[in-house]
Amino acid sequence: MLFNKNNEGSLEIYNLSGAFEANTPFSAIASEVISATTDVAAIVGNAVINAAQEVYNKQNPTADELAFLDTVRRPIAFLAVGNYARITLLRHDATGRKMVTGDNEKVPFEWMIDRDDRELRERYYRAMDALFAYLTQTDNAAWKETDAYKRAAASLVDSLSKMEEVYPVDHSQYTYYTLLPLMLEAQAKILKEINKPDKSGIPEAARPAAARYIVIKALITALRRWALSVFPTEVARQFAPSYQGNKEKQVATKEEIDWAIGKLEAQAAEAEAEVIEIVKGNPYKGFPLVPENDPKNKYFTT
């Protein structure tokens, strides 16, 4: 585990998140830390988590190693704290559920709880952004072993900056890597359409249009398959202006999602046609859909 050296796990979580009582027994949150570690490992790869574990176990890590360790542990801490907070308002005992309150404390309103949950989630997203940025900027060796790194290398849209040339996502590395599998799915479709084995087969002239198709098609697939809550709030609002993300019940309407998909579908179709024309040529070039005619003619053909 990446926490609780010398039985100071709660203090470590407090120092990383600032959102946890340092005097809380670590055993109370230990299961959430394990679960959060598993979730982060599924996104960034076990190799990164294992490398952080090696640093954590060292007696005298360097400053650079400590920076790497804290960057890996910070999203785990925020995710664990957020999950822990959801289960601590009520106490479970032999006679059922009880509300936990102190002598000078008040129970927060539901909207306060919803907003706090969302803010903890947003801080987790930002910590993941920082982790991805650190891994890519430092050319981390463990990062190169991960599926996420290999997916990016295989993608025509191989960086956040290339994605944001097509569709800005508030500089969210987390959003880029979340959408990456869907972008590879869209890339496979366009490669099949133009009979190319991999991204190297796409001509240079067709690459901007191909990147537009890949990004837009991935967004469409995400809107159809996923809930908007998987994205940071600022990204989700681009798909549905009324989406606030403060309450689970305040989700985007079907009409809003359909509107966003319809707008994106037209752009994807235009980009796809451009790629196919550049690669294969236009078989209808030179054959106008409407023949030239003189307005003086008083006849027509069918």
Side-chain angles (χ1 to χ4, degrees):
M1 186 182 287
L2 291 172
F3 294 86
N4 209 33
K5 184 183 288 186
N6 300 322
N7 293 317
E8 294 183 339
S10 294
L11 179 60
E12 292 172 27
I13 293 175
Y14 169 77
N15 288 337
L16 287 166
S17 68
F20 188 71
E21 288 290 338
N23 61 357
T24 303
F26 181 74
S27 59
I29 197 174
S31 62
E32 299 301 339
V33 171
I34 294 170
S35 177
T37 303
T38 301
D39 289 348
V40 172
I43 298 171
V44 300
N46 286 319
V48 171
I49 301 299
N50 292 339
Q53 187 68 61
E54 290 179 9
V55 174
Y56 189 66
N57 293 338
K58 281 188 174 182
Q59 292 297 323
N60 296 299
T62 65
D64 287 343
E65 288 174 331
L66 287 174
F68 165 66
L69 176 62
D70 283 352
T71 305
V72 172
R73 294 198 303 164
R74 189 165 285 111
I76 295 172
F78 281 124
L79 187 57
V81 171
N83 292 339
Y84 172 77
R86 292 187 180 93
I87 64 172
T88 53
L89 185 61
L90 298 179
R91 184 178 71 246
H92 303 78
D93 59 27
T95 59
R97 299 178 183 180
K98 303 290 190 302
M99 183 176 292
V100 181
T101 59
D103 293 338
N104 299 313
E105 297 174 343
K106 292 183 179 180
V107 178
F109 295 111
E110 183 180 357
W111 66 266
M112 295 177 179
I113 296 172
D114 290 336
R115 184 170 294 178
D116 185 61
D117 286 346
R118 189 65 196 181
E119 179 54 32
L120 285 171
R121 192 75 182 180
E122 291 294 316
R123 294 173 77 179
Y124 161 69
Y125 289 140
R126 293 195 293 271
M128 288 298 294
D129 288 343
L131 174 55
F132 279 122
Y134 180 92
L135 293 172
T136 54
Q137 291 168 7
T138 59
D139 205 26
N140 185 273
W143 170 237
K144 293 181 177 180
E145 300 176 24
T146 65
D147 290 339
Y149 177 87
K150 293 171 184 176
R151 288 191 197 105
S155 176
L156 184 67
V157 186
D158 58 6
S159 67
L160 172 63
S161 61
K162 287 187 179 180
M163 179 181 176
E164 292 206 302
E165 288 175 4
V166 178
Y167 196 93
V169 289
D170 200 35
H171 311 300
S172 173
Q173 294 274 6
Y174 173 84
T175 300
Y176 168 75
Y177 282 100
T178 299
L179 288 171
L180 192 50
L182 302 186
M183 286 194 278
L184 287 175
E185 186 178 314
Q187 181 172 296
K189 290 179 181 178
I190 196 67
L191 288 172
K192 183 177 180 180
E193 188 71 29
I194 60 177
N195 298 317
K196 301 296 181 183
D198 54 45
K199 70 175 185 178
S200 64
I202 302 177
E204 195 66 34
R207 292 194 169 202
R212 288 204 312 276
Y213 172 84
I214 290 166
V215 172
I216 294 169
K217 205 66 177 176
L219 292 170
I220 292 168
T221 304
L223 287 171
R224 285 177 170 157
R225 293 182 187 173
W226 302 341
L228 288 183
S229 57
V230 305
F231 297 106
T233 300
E234 291 305 317
V235 176
R237 283 174 180 159
Q238 296 181 50
F239 301 127
S242 70
Y243 179 79
Q244 297 302 312
N246 290 331
K247 293 186 177 181
E248 291 297 323
K249 63 185 179 183
Q250 289 183 329
V251 297
T253 65
K254 181 179 183 300
E255 289 74 19
E256 287 177 317
I257 297 298
D258 289 344
W259 170 82
I261 289 174
K263 189 172 71 168
L264 293 170
E265 284 280 19
Q267 298 176 40
E270 181 181 337
E272 181 182 20
E274 185 177 339
V275 174
I276 292 172
E277 181 174 351
I278 292 172
V279 175
K280 294 184 175 181
N282 185 354
Y284 302 107
K285 194 172 184 179
F287 297 91
L289 295 177
V290 180
E292 293 184 11
N293 195 14
D294 191 322
K296 296 177 182 179
N297 291 338
K298 301 301 182 183
Y299 59 87
F300 65 90
T301 60
T302 61

